[in-house]
Amino acid sequence: YFRMELIFVDKVRKRKEVLGIGEKKDDDMEVEDAVLEAKIPALIYDAAVKSIPDVDFALSFLPICDIFNFADQLAERILEDIQTRHPNKEQVWDVVARRLLASHNKRVALPGEESVAEFTSQKGVAAARAVFEQALERLPSETMWKLYIQFSLELLEKSNSEKQAAKRLRQVLSLMERASSEELLTFDHHQEWVRLLQSCNVEEDTLACARAAVQRWPSSTEAWLLLLELLIVTTAGTEDVLKTFEEALGAIPKQESLPIWKRALEWMSSACPESTIPFFEKALFYPPTVCLYVKEKLLECYYLYHGYKAARKFYKRMLRLKPLSLSFFQHMIDIENSCASPDAERLRTYFEHATAEFGETNVDLWMKYVLFELKHPQGKPEQAG
């Protein structure tokens, strides 16, 4: 309804402009002024926020005002009212700062004033930052820091020169350091802090920042993965990386540790393959979300590093250490089929083990079993029926 009233005012104003109608001198002038000055939408806003005293609801009126070029005063009135009603709401300060910047950026450079737009932008940014600093004095909360840093990151993305980008980068890094020192930096922004430092090629500071993240959020898989990635791409030795993997697995809840195990396998397969099997054996008693994956990969590793007999020996050991996944059995079948002369009895045994575990619900498994009996030279087609 608020929007509809503004649309009506807009139509009246445009009609008056097109027809060239001047000010009236009769008794209707006062009523017309009330319409043209958007006093009715203002009354609608007052009634609405009285009925629904929610800050986000009140703020939702501002974007509607911005659609109409005659509603600036109404928007200012609404914003002042919101500031009065909700002085301790972080999102209000954020809106005030952003609208202040937007108001400065509306000025267009005149002929011969090419630098005006840039100057206005700088002036607007400074004014917006001053609002955020004032907000932090009143509301030194994690949310307020988050909004201020997010605003600064957006400015950094919109930089139009290397000099400006460098300045804004320094400002963002300074803000992140201040927020972190007060333990009010969000996890996402701490991660962004690490990435920004990495882009600056300051290896020591980047690693220190990443280590600070795992100290503050020791159970965060993302924090440990970021630290591990940094160690892997830097000059850290194999022992340091391996030790950090162990520290991560000791800190993260076991049921959430699968991404760490996956990254460890990727790294160890090239950096220290001889350590892969002993390292992964530790996960055999982890929750199913982890141990199912680990058992599959260990079967592959035993075959790759120690050959067929070692893989079969591990397979037999795992039959006594369930649960097992369907992929585990399929891997063993594939290993047998990769031999020069696949043993039919062993293949049949693997299929029997697999169907005992998954046969009740997996039709494709039975189809593979049937095809094996029909096509293998030592198959038993009579059993396929």
Side-chain angles (χ1 to χ4, degrees):
Y1 188 54
F2 180 79
R3 183 194 295 268
M4 290 175 61
E5 282 295 334
L6 285 174
I7 292 173
F8 173 72
V9 174
D10 187 45
K11 288 182 178 179
V12 172
R13 293 173 69 92
K14 289 179 178 177
R15 185 180 296 115
K16 185 175 180 180
E17 182 180 345
V18 170
L19 297 176
I21 300 175
E23 291 187 0
K24 293 184 178 182
K25 297 183 180 180
D26 53 27
D27 295 338
D28 294 334
M29 183 176 65
E30 186 175 343
V31 175
E32 183 175 328
D33 287 345
V35 173
L36 295 178
E37 293 173 9
K39 291 184 178 180
I40 295 176
L43 293 174
I44 293 172
Y45 163 79
D46 291 337
V49 296
K50 185 177 181 180
S51 176
I52 307 176
D54 177 73
V55 61
D56 292 323
F57 175 69
L59 289 171
S60 68
F61 285 82
L62 293 172
I64 300 175
C65 292
D66 294 339
I67 299 172
F68 305 92
N69 56 15
F70 61 85
D72 289 347
Q73 290 186 348
L74 176 60
E76 290 178 10
R77 176 189 178 283
I78 290 175
L79 188 55
E80 289 175 3
D81 178 72
I82 294 173
Q83 288 179 273
T84 302
R85 291 174 181 268
H86 308 282
N88 295 322
K89 293 292 186 180
E90 292 92 345
Q91 58 265 53
V92 174
W93 289 92
D94 182 52
V95 170
V96 170
R98 289 174 180 274
R99 292 184 72 84
L100 186 58
L101 174 60
S103 67
H104 279 280
N105 288 342
K106 282 182 179 179
R107 185 180 174 190
V108 180
L110 299 174
E113 293 184 337
E114 291 80 9
S115 62
V116 169
E118 183 178 354
F119 172 78
T120 304
S121 176
Q122 292 175 356
K123 186 177 180 181
V125 168
R129 289 188 183 280
V131 171
F132 276 114
E133 291 291 344
Q134 183 183 354
L136 285 175
E137 292 180 6
R138 182 161 187 160
L139 298 169
S141 65
E142 182 180 278
T143 300
M144 197 69 255
W145 276 107
K146 176 183 177 181
L147 292 171
Y148 190 5
I149 292 172
Q150 187 58 42
F151 171 79
S152 299
L153 286 170
E154 291 171 15
L155 286 178
L156 177 60
E157 290 181 2
K158 296 176 182 177
S159 301
N160 51 27
S161 68
E162 290 186 8
K163 181 179 179 181
Q164 188 181 69
K167 179 181 178 181
R168 290 179 175 178
L169 176 59
R170 289 194 298 270
Q171 290 172 331
V172 170
L173 293 175
S174 175
L175 283 176
M176 290 175 166
E177 187 173 0
R178 286 170 57 193
S180 178
S181 66
E182 298 180 19
E183 296 189 352
L184 293 173
L185 185 65
T186 65
F187 174 75
D188 288 341
H189 280 156
H190 197 117
Q191 298 292 82
E192 185 64 27
W193 187 14
V194 174
R195 296 186 186 98
L196 289 174
L197 287 172
Q198 188 178 19
S199 70
C200 296
N201 295 317
V202 283
E203 182 178 305
E204 188 174 334
D205 291 344
T206 305
L207 283 172
C209 188
R211 291 188 187 281
V214 298
Q215 289 174 2
R216 185 172 177 195
W217 295 281
S219 61
S220 169
T221 303
E222 290 182 51
W224 282 104
L225 282 174
L226 185 55
L227 174 58
L228 287 163
E229 291 297 340
L230 290 172
L231 290 172
I232 289 170
V233 299
T234 59
T235 56
T238 300
E239 291 185 5
D240 289 339
V241 178
L242 195 57
K243 180 182 177 182
T244 305
F245 269 114
E246 291 174 346
E247 290 174 354
L249 292 170
I252 296 171
K254 290 184 177 181
Q255 64 272 18
E256 299 174 13
S257 64
L258 182 58
I260 303 295
W261 288 105
K262 288 184 175 181
R263 188 64 186 94
L265 179 63
E266 293 173 5
W267 172 73
M268 296 178 74
S269 60
S270 58
C272 51
E274 70 283 354
S275 302
T276 304
I277 290 177
F279 186 83
F280 272 74
E281 286 273 355
K282 302 173 186 177
L284 290 177
F285 296 95
Y286 268 54
T289 52
V290 175
C291 74
L292 290 176
Y293 168 82
V294 167
K295 289 171 184 177
E296 294 171 19
K297 297 305 176 183
L298 275 173
L299 181 62
E300 295 176 9
C301 289
Y302 270 105
Y303 179 63
L304 180 64
Y305 300 138
H306 301 293
Y308 172 76
K309 289 184 178 180
R312 280 203 68 224
K313 184 177 180 181
F314 176 75
Y315 172 82
K316 291 179 179 179
R317 177 156 66 98
M318 290 302 101
L319 291 177
R320 300 188 297 272
L321 192 61
K322 296 179 180 180
L324 298 171
S325 67
L326 178 58
S327 294
F328 178 82
F329 293 104
Q330 186 61 57
H331 284 332
M332 194 62 231
I333 292 170
D334 292 340
I335 289 172
E336 185 67 44
N337 281 323
S338 67
C339 297
S341 300
D343 188 287
E345 284 302 320
R346 288 174 179 170
L347 283 169
R348 189 172 292 110
T349 299
Y350 302 148
F351 273 114
E352 286 294 331
H353 291 160
T355 53
E357 295 288 333
F358 301 99
E360 290 186 5
T361 58
N362 197 302
V363 176
D364 290 340
L365 176 60
W366 283 107
M367 291 299 297
K368 290 179 181 179
Y369 193 1
V370 169
L371 288 174
F372 154 71
E373 294 291 8
L374 292 174
K375 294 185 176 182
H376 194 280
Q378 282 82 47
K380 298 179 179 179
E382 66 277 7
Q383 293 188 184

